């Protein structure tokens, strides 16, 4: 339909109705060069004809065409066209990402499942586009399998599968997120990049955007993982406010409340959504005293630094890697993962969602079973209400990861997943607990670790060589009916990823319970001779 405005003509083509309720019209217009230009204009923009005219003029539109009076006339013509039979025929509803209301289909970026139909993506909008490279098997072999060496990476990959399962848990709007923080060069961004590869080739965005921009992007990623790198890019002074706002958006599943006048003027309407945010932040000694609500919606997960005692995100090494070679192995591991992500990405979430659609009822049952089992683990007993809210988010991650294992989307052992999610949960809970609670929990972790049948102890004897003792998890000492574990402090700290003070506090708890033998009241260790030299151990009572 051609509508004449002044002496020039325009053509209204398609009208798009966005998930937010916004209406955008595609128009062709005369350019000063004699060519025909194309623009996508929000209905709300016609409320300011001078501004819209200036924008079209900047795009090369004829000056007479851009006069405010002509813009007003064009708006009137547009409304007539929109109400006409031709206009209604050319109106296209852009479906929201994620689940349809009846849960029979799922929009994954620009792909509709299970039909495989491509959904139109308007230029300039924040609709995510599914990018794929390589095959699912290649991604499993080179990215997912590598994650078994990193609890943080395995945890974040599992968390991406949470996004499309939120509705299966009965969550109609809202969500939560995790913020991986730690020192520079600890591998946080690599772990997040591996998680992003489940859906695409790179991060959804960065934190250094406006709050409104982040809200709109969260809406555009409903039921999809929402990855944001580098929280430290936000100025320190405004960072707490940004985190508080995003935490609100996560929990409510809607942008901040705006007045009806604003929404009408800008041609928008708020839409509810579900979201799972994954973020990284370089630890710059940011005060972590956020409000309770904020802290349990965007949960901090600490990554130990890469130094002489820890290796950043890498916490599981192949058995043939010597202790002195671990630092170099960890560096090569990070480079290999980054290279693999560039070559294989974007296939895992599609495969996972297709199976969710096919087996939705059974998948829902399993998700709820796995989540409940994680919440009831002994190591998480005695938590307060705030900590249980934090634990609930980790239980979602474990459940989604277990389901991904069942579906064959990831090549992991369920025990390894449990250990990875448990470690990250313990780290987050420790940050929300007082020192006494942390000591209690780490004491329980130490006993659990020593009792694990997968441990590699060595029996004590007068001929025991120190090199053999160093290579074992602990020395097993049995006398009469008593059984002790002689544990090197460095071994325990590395295995449980504890600081010196955290291990000391755990030892204090065990000593008060009579589960730790010490040489003197003011020291947590006991000296025992190995190869004729008295060496310090934590002497833990096993029986």
């Amino acid at each position: 339909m051609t509508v004449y405005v002044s002496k020039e003509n325009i053509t209204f083509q398609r009208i798009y109705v966005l998930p937010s309720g916004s209406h955008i019209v595609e128009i062709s217009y005369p350019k000063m060069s004699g060519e025909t230009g194309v623009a996508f204009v929000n209905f709300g923009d016609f409320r300011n004809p001078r501004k819209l005219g200036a924008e079209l003029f900047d795009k090369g539109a004829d000056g007479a065409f851009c006069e405010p009076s002509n813009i007003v006339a064009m708006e009137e013509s547009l409304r007539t066209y929109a109400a006409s039979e031709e206009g209604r025929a050319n109106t296209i509803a852009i479906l929201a990402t994620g689940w349809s209301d009846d849960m029979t289909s799922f929009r994954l970026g620009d792909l509709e499942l299970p039909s495989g139909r491509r959904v139109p993506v308007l230029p300039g909008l924040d609709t995510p586009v599914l990018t794929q490279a390589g095959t699912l098997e290649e991604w499993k072999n080179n990215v997912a399998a590598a994650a078994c060496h990193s609890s943080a990476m395995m945890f974040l990959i599992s968390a991406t599968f949470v996004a499309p399962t939120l509705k299966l848990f009965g969550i109609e709007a809202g969500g939560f997120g995790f913020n991986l923080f730690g020192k520079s060069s600890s591998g946080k961004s690599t772990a997040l990049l591996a998680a992003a590869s489940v859906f695409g080739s790179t991060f959804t965005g960065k934190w250094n955007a406006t709050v409104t921009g982040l809200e709109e992007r969260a809406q555009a990623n409903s039921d999809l993982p929402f990855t944001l790198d580098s929280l430290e890019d936000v100025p320190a002074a405004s960072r707490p406010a940004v985190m508080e706002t995003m935490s609100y958006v996560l929990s409510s599943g809607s942008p901040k409340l705006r007045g009806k006048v604003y929404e009408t003027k800008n041609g928008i309407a708020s839409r509810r959504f579900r979201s799972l945010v994954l973020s990284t932040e370089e630890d710059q000694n940011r005060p972590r005293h956020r409000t309770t609500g904020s802290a349990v919606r965007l949960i901090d997960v600490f990554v130990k630094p890469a130094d002489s005692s820890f290796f950043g995100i890498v916490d599981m090494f192949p058995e043939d890697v010597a202790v002195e070679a671990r630092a170099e192995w960890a560096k090569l591991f990070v480079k290999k993962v980054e290279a693999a992500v560039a070559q294989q990405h974007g296939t895992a979430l599609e495969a996972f969602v297709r199976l969710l659609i096919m087996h939705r009822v059974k998948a829902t049952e399993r998700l709820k079973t796995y989540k409940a089992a994680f919440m009831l683990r002994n190591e998480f007993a005695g938590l307060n209400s705030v900590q249980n809210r934090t634990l609930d988010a980790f239980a979602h991650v474990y459940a989604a990861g277990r389901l991904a294992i069942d579906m064959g989307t990831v090549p992991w052992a369920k025990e390894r997943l449990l250990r990875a999610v448990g470690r990250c949960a313990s780290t987050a809970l420790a940050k929300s607990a007082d020192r006494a609670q942390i000591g209690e929990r780490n004491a329980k972790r130490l006993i659990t670790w020593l009792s694990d049948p997968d441990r590699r102890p060595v029996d004590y004897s007068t001929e025991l060589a120190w090199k053999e003792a160093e290579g074992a998890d602990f020395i097993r000492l049995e006398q009469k009916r008593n059984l002790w574990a002689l544990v090197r402090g460095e071994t325990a700290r590395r295995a449980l990823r504890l600081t010196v003070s955290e291990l000391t506090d755990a030892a204090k708890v065990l000593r008060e319970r009579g589960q730790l033998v010490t040489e003197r009241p003011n020291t947590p260790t006991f000296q025992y001779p190995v190869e004729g030299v008295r060496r310090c151990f934590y002497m833990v009572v096993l029986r």
Side-chain angles (χ1 to χ4, degrees):
M1 174 182 179
T2 301
V3 181
Y4 289 88
V5 179
S6 186
K7 296 180 179 181
E8 308 297 336
N9 67 75
I10 64 169
T11 301
F12 293 127
Q13 298 178 358
R14 288 173 288 271
I15 296 175
Y16 298 94
V17 182
L18 306 185
S20 64
S22 301
H23 285 62
I24 291 180
V25 62
E26 180 184 3
I27 64 172
S28 60
Y29 58 87
K31 300 179 73 171
M32 288 180 281
S33 62
E35 300 174 337
T36 299
V38 176
F40 296 87
V41 182
N42 192 305
F43 276 30
D45 291 345
F46 287 99
R47 298 287 181 177
N48 191 336
R50 290 188 180 279
K51 181 180 177 182
L52 178 56
E55 290 176 356
L56 291 172
F57 184 77
D58 288 341
K59 294 179 180 179
D62 182 272
F65 169 79
C66 296
E67 287 294 321
S69 58
N70 286 335
I71 297 294
V72 171
M74 186 164 61
E75 180 189 15
E76 294 174 356
S77 299
L78 170 60
R79 297 195 179 283
T80 301
Y81 170 68
S84 69
E85 184 177 342
E86 182 182 359
R88 289 196 298 271
N90 284 329
T91 297
I92 300 173
I94 301 298
L95 300 176
T97 59
W99 289 102
S100 60
D101 290 339
D102 60 3
M103 297 189 73
T104 59
S105 64
F106 189 101
R107 181 180 173 189
L108 182 61
D110 61 337
L111 180 68
E112 183 184 80
L113 299 175
S115 68
R117 181 177 70 90
R118 291 290 172 181
V119 182
V121 176
L122 264 60
L125 294 181
D126 248 344
T127 306
V129 178
L130 180 65
T131 58
Q132 294 183 328
T135 65
L136 176 61
E137 286 303 314
E138 289 173 333
W139 179 84
K140 287 162 63 175
N141 293 335
N142 298 304
V143 179
C148 291
H149 298 293
S150 168
S151 294
M153 189 177 294
M154 183 179 279
F155 170 74
L156 289 186
I157 289 176
S158 296
T160 62
F161 295 114
V162 171
T165 68
L166 291 174
K167 188 172 177 66
L168 275 66
F169 277 108
I171 298 174
E172 291 301 322
F176 48 89
F178 301 96
N179 179 47
L180 208 64
F181 79 98
K183 297 295 183 183
S184 173
S185 302
S186 56
K188 302 179 302 298
S189 292
T190 302
L192 186 63
L193 193 61
S197 74
V198 172
F199 172 67
S201 60
T202 187
F203 307 126
T204 310
K206 283 185 171 288
W207 277 101
N208 60 345
T210 64
V211 171
T212 300
L214 290 173
E215 291 175 350
E216 291 173 351
R217 187 158 290 188
Q219 280 186 290
N221 283 267
S222 183
D223 289 329
L224 300 178
F226 185 28
T227 53
L228 292 167
D229 194 27
S230 305
L231 178 56
E232 68 274 8
D233 288 349
V234 179
S238 57
R239 200 175 304 165
V242 170
M243 294 187 75
E244 293 289 337
T245 300
M246 279 305 294
S247 297
Y248 169 82
V249 171
L250 279 175
S251 63
S252 63
S254 63
K256 290 189 300 183
L257 185 65
R258 296 186 174 96
K260 289 295 181 184
V261 173
Y262 178 92
E263 292 184 350
T264 301
K265 180 179 178 181
N266 290 277
I268 66 171
S270 297
R271 186 181 72 84
R272 308 279 286 185
F273 56 90
R274 288 170 293 272
S275 186
L276 190 287
V277 172
L278 300 176
S279 165
T280 66
E281 177 187 8
E282 184 176 321
D283 184 17
Q284 298 175 324
N285 298 317
R286 167 173 65 84
R288 315 202 81 80
H289 50 271
R290 291 187 282 143
T291 64
T292 298
S294 170
V296 298
R297 294 168 192 147
L298 188 57
I299 302 165
D300 284 331
V301 179
F302 180 60
V303 175
K304 296 289 178 67
D307 55 25
S308 58
S309 300
F310 303 106
F311 304 95
I313 61 169
V314 182
D315 56 3
M316 291 291 290
F317 292 87
E319 291 186 359
D320 59 349
V321 177
V323 174
E324 59 271 17
R326 287 182 173 181
E328 188 60 30
W329 191 93
K331 292 178 182 178
L332 291 174
F333 167 82
V334 168
K335 291 180 180 178
K336 286 181 179 179
V337 170
E338 291 175 350
V341 165
Q343 299 298 319
Q344 294 104 32
H345 55 258
T347 55
L349 197 63
E350 179 185 345
F352 183 74
V353 169
R354 284 185 181 277
L355 290 171
L356 277 185
I357 296 171
M358 291 174 60
H359 308 288
R360 178 164 51 88
V361 175
K362 184 178 291 186
T364 302
E365 293 174 354
R366 290 195 182 186
L367 285 167
K368 293 180 178 179
T369 298
Y370 293 147
K371 179 174 179 284
F374 187 85
M375 293 290 291
L376 293 174
R377 286 182 59 80
N378 289 335
E379 63 189 283
F380 300 126
L383 299 180
N384 59 38
S385 59
V386 173
Q387 291 169 331
N388 272 313
R389 288 174 63 188
T390 300
L391 185 65
D392 185 80
F394 286 93
H396 275 278
V397 176
Y398 174 71
R402 274 296 305 271
L403 189 61
I405 291 173
D406 293 349
M407 291 178 169
T409 312
V410 291
W412 301 335
K414 59 185 181 182
E415 295 81 8
R416 183 67 188 93
L417 172 68
L418 179 61
R419 188 182 307 175
V421 179
R423 282 183 175 180
C424 292
S426 296
T427 299
L429 291 169
K431 295 298 178 182
S432 66
D434 60 32
R435 187 166 180 175
Q437 288 177 310
I438 295 172
E440 291 273 355
R441 189 168 301 110
N442 286 331
K444 185 180 296 183
R445 290 178 62 208
L446 180 57
I447 295 296
T448 301
W449 179 75
L450 291 171
S451 305
D452 189 336
D454 291 336
R455 296 282 66 79
R456 294 177 294 107
V458 60
D459 290 324
Y460 180 81
S461 72
T462 54
E463 288 80 25
L464 179 63
W466 176 242
K467 187 174 182 180
E468 186 181 0
E470 274 190 311
D473 287 328
F474 62 89
I475 300 172
R476 183 165 48 202
L477 176 63
E478 188 168 7
Q479 292 180 354
K480 297 181 180 181
R481 295 184 179 180
N482 298 319
L483 180 63
W484 296 278
L486 301 177
V487 190
R488 296 173 61 235
E490 185 178 2
T491 301
R493 286 191 291 108
R494 281 184 174 175
L496 301 176
R497 298 177 69 77
L498 302 175
T499 64
V500 173
S501 62
E502 287 172 340
L503 182 57
T504 300
D505 288 346
K508 180 180 178 182
V509 171
L510 292 176
R511 182 169 55 188
E512 290 172 351
R513 294 176 179 172
Q515 291 179 277
L516 186 77
V517 178
T518 61
E519 202 162 23
R520 292 184 296 273
N522 58 342
T523 61
T525 57
F526 193 98
Q527 290 190 3
Y528 221 84
V530 178
E531 270 192 338
V533 179
R534 294 180 66 82
R535 305 176 190 273
C536 289
F537 297 95
Y538 288 88
M539 192 171 179
V540 182
V541 179
L542 297 181
R543 186 178 67 230

